[in-house]
Every structure is written in C-alpha cells, then in structure tokens.
Amino acid sequence: SKSHLRSAHSFQSIGDSPDNDPHYFDENIPTFSHKMTAELSNQKLIRSVITQNIDSLHLRSGISRSQLVELYGNAFVEVCPKCGIEYLRDFEVIQVNQSTNKTGRYCTRCTVPLEDTLVDFADKCPRHVYKQALEHSKKCDLVIVIGSSLKLNPARNLVLQTINKN
C-alpha cells in the first residue's frame, strides 16, 4: 500500500523494515534526543524543529505543533483539506484507497473527507511546508543536526540556506 511504501522510507536509516514489525510506529517512544530537543524548546532555547521523520516522536516528546515543521508529513495526522483542521491520532493513519490520500474518516467541523499528510517517494515536500521550513532556516543562527546524514534535499538545502545567509 501507499502508506507502507512511505513508512519503509523511515526505516532505511536504521536498517529495519516495516515488514518485520507492523506495529513499529504504535510502540515507538521518544528517544533521549527527542526529549532533550523538547526540553530545549520548552526552555525557549530553540525556536523551531524541522524534521524529516514521519513517526510523530517529536510531538510525543512535547514539542509544540507551532514549533514543528514535518517535511514529509506525519503518519499519525489527518487533515481536512477544506478547513485545515489537523487530527492527531494514536494510531497510524492508513489510506482507504491507493489512488487517493483519503483516510475514510470525516472532518467534525465541515464533514469533508480527511486526508493523510504523508509525502510519497516521488513527490516533493509540499510548497507551504518547505516555505515554512525555509523561513525558519533563514532566521536561525544555529543548526543542530541529529540523526541525519543530510544527503537528501530539501533538508540539506535548508542547512545550506542557514550557512549561506550571510
């Protein structure tokens, strides 16, 4: 399924496979790095977190939604395409059909079908998400990279934007 393909992307860096554990995301808990990032955020020592991860661990660790930019979406979030309300779930959001990103649930405000937020391999990061990440990158004076080789864009480009801003 489409969700399975996108989930597989996040396992490449740790050498595991979603086929080995279908409940990997459900049982995953924030690491020390996630918790320390959240603590720095809560103490106002960092203003934003830009992540390539889709596992919701930054939110689970306590980083506020307003400080978090998820470049490839979140496997636990559905969004209403009409009014923009996000629904954070305690389960991995799955599409009901491979040809659409509809999840089978409906917005409680406007009753429009909800959509997942994940980005497929062939797709680029959504323009509005990249723009938000780029704004944060251009304003910051320090970048801390944790758990990434930064071999892929757009994350690598965001770091370069910070380095080259002066």
Side-chain angles (χ1 to χ4, degrees), residues 138-152:
K138 287 181 176 180
K139 291 178 186 175
C140 78
D141 53 359
L142 173 68
V143 174
I144 300 171
V145 178
I146 302 173
S148 176
S149 63
L150 293 178
K151 292 186 181 206
L152 299 175

Side-chain angles (χ1 to χ4, degrees), residues 84-103:
I85 289 180
E86 288 186 343
Y87 296 85
L88 178 61
R89 305 297 188 189
D90 60 357
F91 54 87
E92 187 177 353
V93 174
I94 305 293
Q95 301 161 323
V96 293
N97 181 325
Q98 284 186 341
S99 64
T100 177
N101 56 346
K102 306 242 182 292
T103 63

Side-chain angles (χ1 to χ4, degrees), residues 78-89 103-115:
E78 302 176 271
V79 66
C80 175
K82 182 177 179 184
C83 69
I85 289 180
E86 288 186 343
Y87 296 85
L88 178 61
R89 305 297 188 189
T103 63
R105 284 172 289 281
Y106 296 85
C107 179
T108 57
R109 178 187 290 169
C110 56
T111 68
V112 169
L114 297 175
E115 298 178 352

Side-chain angles (χ1 to χ4, degrees), residues 51-68:
T51 183
Q52 300 177 89
N53 297 335
I54 63 168
D55 54 19
S56 200
L57 293 181
H58 289 293
L59 286 175
R60 292 183 195 185
S61 70
I63 294 173
S64 74
R65 190 74 180 118
S66 64
Q67 292 180 293
L68 183 62

